[in-house]
Amino acid sequence: MPLVTTKEMFKKAYKEGYAIGAFNVNNMEMIQAIVEAANECRSPVILQVSAGARKYANPVYLRHLVAAAAETTDIPIAMHLDHGADFEICKDSIDNGFTSVMIDASSKPWDENIAITRKVVEYAHAHGVVVEAELGKLAGVEDDVKVDAKDALFTSPDEVEEFTAKTGIDSLAIAIGTSHGAYKFKPGQDPKLRLDILAEIEKRIPNFPIVLHGASSVPQDKVAIVNQFGGSMPDAIGIPESELTKAAKMAVCKINIDSDLRVAFTAAIRKHFVENPTHFDPRQYLGDARAMMKEMVKHKIVNVLGSANKI
Ligand code: G3H
Ligand code: 13P
Ligand code: ZN
């Protein structure tokens, strides 16, 4: 099936109270893991490409791998640019078949964020592509941008109406307590999302799809495998999955997950080498990594996002 935009996906997700998983991709095995999982769950899915992924894999490879994945299934797949830093990278992605782009000018002053976002929207919409933008600042690492916890800012509901009206965006990423990376909170902390802010935003811009970045939950069972087989990931916890499910039942239509998939991928490889010290064929350990990542994606779709059987 050809790639689609997120328009119809979000409309149905909003109405029926679930969210679509947006999973980051960097190589063939990751794309296969995600698409096979979504296909078996009969769930729409978003494959997203960061600046880091472009640097690592070359965008040409990534877009052909995504096209290959789409050709092998009938589920709706959107190809999304994650954290587009400027107009040029958004334009390049639009010109090369992406169906959705994020312009992330959230660290810029208000007027500048609006101006650059508006420019991307005009170009994207003229080419049938949808646009996500961000208001507020998440703590953690956003691609090459590191935002300290003290500088993180919740999105102000007072700003969302004007921002969406002036920019014409299709979805809005907000900061309500999520953060990027695998080391979000210390064990013993009780991280909660500011669902009150989300509810207020929903009131100000009804029927508008909201996006959550930094939504990994740091799967303790997979971290335990990493550490059992030679790793030493520090003790950390993420956003409780139950909080994400509550948000998905509200206005949140897209939930970004990257770190949890990376941990699953790495756990399988570490385990493989300890259990099979003589192996040297990449298909053996990458096959295990793909399988563990696929299991993680299925878990997210079925138990967290609620998007199974929604195509
Ligand atoms: O939000 C950032 C994503 O997890 C992508 O990270 O720049 O390391 O590819 P990356
Ligand atoms: P995590 O690091 O929590 O997986 O967030 C990923 C993300 O927001 C990608 O844009
Ligand atoms: Zn992000």
Side-chain angles (χ1 to χ4, degrees), residues 5-311:
T5 74
T6 52
K7 230 177 174 78
E8 293 308 311
M9 288 183 193
F10 288 171
K11 210 194 262 180
K12 188 167 153 62
Y14 197 104
K15 208 166 116 211
E16 297 182 21
Y18 62 90
I20 313 290
F23 302 107
N24 288 70
V25 296
N26 294 279
N27 64 21
M28 181 186 78
E29 284 77 9
M30 290 174 167
I31 293 172
Q32 289 173 329
I34 296 161
V35 172
E36 282 175 23
N39 185 47
E40 286 171 27
C41 295
R42 309 311 294 154
S43 167
V45 74
I46 299 166
L47 301 177
Q48 55 186 13
V49 173
S50 69
R54 288 166 64 96
K55 237 184 267 167
Y56 172 76
N58 181 334
V60 181
Y61 278 82
L62 289 174
R63 82 172 182 260
H64 284 280
L65 288 169
V66 171
E71 205 179 306
T72 63
T73 175
D74 61 349
I75 58 167
I77 301 176
M79 181 165 60
H80 175 76
L81 172 69
D82 193 25
H83 293 284
D86 51 33
F87 175 77
E88 283 67 35
I89 190 172
C90 292
K91 180 181 181 300
D92 182 71
S93 302
I94 294 163
D95 292 345
N96 284 295
F98 278 64
T99 56
S100 173
V101 293
M102 175 191 193
I103 172 70
D104 184 359
S106 57
S107 59
K108 303 241 166 26
W110 172 257
D111 285 341
E112 227 179 294
N113 190 356
I114 291 184
I116 178 174
T117 302
R118 178 76 223 159
K119 188 174 170 193
V120 171
V121 167
E122 277 164 13
Y123 191 80
H125 285 183
H127 292 80
V129 170
V130 291
V131 179
E132 171 189 325
E134 181 170 322
L135 260 188
K137 276 189 202 167
L138 272 65
V141 180
E142 289 199 354
D143 287 301
D144 298 329
V145 186
K146 176 138 178 47
V147 181
D148 285 335
K150 63 175 168 37
D151 294 328
L153 284 180
F154 292 131
T155 304
S156 163
D158 290 339
E159 294 181 346
V160 297
E161 241 177 302
E162 188 183 345
F163 187 76
T164 52
K166 285 193 168 158
T167 57
I169 52 169
D170 303 277
S171 61
L172 178 68
I174 61 168
I176 54 167
T178 58
S179 58
H180 288 100
Y183 307 125
K184 302 183 202 295
F185 304 99
K186 295 200 169 25
Q189 284 186 283
D190 183 23
K192 291 258 186 297
L193 294 181
R194 289 291 304 271
L195 297 173
D196 56 322
I197 297 180
L198 175 60
E200 189 54 37
I201 288 173
E202 192 171 349
K203 248 190 244 161
R204 308 288 183 98
I205 45 171
N207 296 313
F208 201 86
I210 300 298
V211 177
L212 289 187
H213 281 249
S216 277
S217 299
V218 192
Q220 300 299 306
D221 58 332
K222 302 296 183 288
V223 172
I225 296 174
V226 170
N227 290 345
Q228 183 188 344
F229 294 101
S232 57
M233 288 183 71
D235 273 352
I237 57 171
I239 309 300
E241 291 182 332
S242 54
E243 289 288 290
L244 297 168
T245 301
K246 286 183 211 161
K249 289 185 175 147
M250 299 168 70
V252 170
C253 295
K254 172 175 179 273
I255 293 190
N256 288 9
I257 299 170
D258 184 6
S259 301
D260 285 0
L261 307 193
R262 294 179 179 188
V263 174
F265 203 84
T266 300
I269 291 175
R270 281 199 173 277
K271 182 169 185 285
H272 186 97
F273 278 124
V274 171
E275 289 177 349
N276 304 279
T278 61
H279 279 184
F280 61 90
D281 181 342
R283 291 172 297 189
Q284 294 171 317
Y285 57 86
L286 290 178
D288 277 7
R290 181 173 59 193
M292 200 174 279
M293 186 159 150
K294 178 175 168 183
E295 175 209 313
M296 173 66 63
V297 174
K298 276 183 151 181
H299 162 70
K300 297 290 181 185
I301 288 174
V302 173
N303 302 319
V304 183
L305 307 167
S307 66
N309 300 311
K310 296 292 188 185
I311 62 170

